[in-house]
Amino acid sequence: RLFDELFRMMATPSAFTTRGAVYPAVNIYDDGESFLVRAEVAGIDKESLDITAKRDQLTVRGTRTLKPAEDNASWHRREREGGQFRRTVTLPQPIDAEKVVATYKDGVLEIVLPRAAEAKQRRIPVM
C-alpha cells in the first residue's frame, strides 16, 4: 500500500492528495458536441482560479487559503488542505480553445469545452 500511495502521489505531484483522491475532484461528460467538466472547488475565490485549454488538455490552477486556528488552539482533526493546486486532465479529442466557457457557482466550477471542428463526428450521406 505504501508503494501504491507513493506512485499515486508521483503521478499527480502538484495536486492536493487526500486519502488517495486528487484535488479538485472532477466529473467529465461528453454530449457529442462538447465536453463538460465539473470540478468541486469549494472555498476558493474565483479570482484565484486560472484555467487554460490547449488541444486535448485542460488545466485548472488555483489557491485555497484556509483560515488558521486560534493561537491557543490545537488540531483535533485536519482533513482540508490549503495552498496551491494544479489539475490537468487529458480529453479524448481536441477542443476549440477559443470557445471554452467557464462559470463558478456554489463551489462548483463548470467548464464547457466544444470539440474542435476536425474532431466532430460528421454524417456522410450515401449517394
Side-chain angles (χ1 to χ4, degrees), residues 90-109:
T90 300
L91 301 164
Q93 293 179 323
I95 57 162
D96 185 345
E98 298 298 318
K99 296 180 180 174
V100 173
V101 177
T103 56
Y104 181 60
K105 183 179 178 186
D106 298 331
V108 177
L109 175 64

Side-chain angles (χ1 to χ4, degrees), residues 50-112:
D50 178 35
I51 303 163
T52 57
K54 183 178 180 183
R55 281 180 243 135
D56 63 347
Q57 290 197 327
L58 169 70
T59 300
V60 178
R61 293 179 184 89
T63 302
R64 176 189 275 167
T65 306
L66 296 179
K67 182 178 177 181
E70 300 293 324
D71 289 338
N72 60 347
S74 61
W75 289 105
H76 173 70
R77 181 179 299 256
R78 184 174 179 175
E79 295 179 357
R80 295 184 68 222
E81 294 293 332
Q84 295 182 341
F85 66 89
R86 180 184 73 204
R87 178 82 191 264
T88 299
V89 293
T90 300
L91 301 164
Q93 293 179 323
I95 57 162
D96 185 345
E98 298 298 318
K99 296 180 180 174
V100 173
V101 177
T103 56
Y104 181 60
K105 183 179 178 186
D106 298 331
V108 177
L109 175 64
E110 189 169 284
I111 307 167
V112 178

Side-chain angles (χ1 to χ4, degrees), residues 31-44:
D31 69 5
E33 293 292 318
S34 302
F35 297 102
L36 173 64
V37 176
R38 287 192 181 123
E40 292 182 8
V41 289
I44 296 177

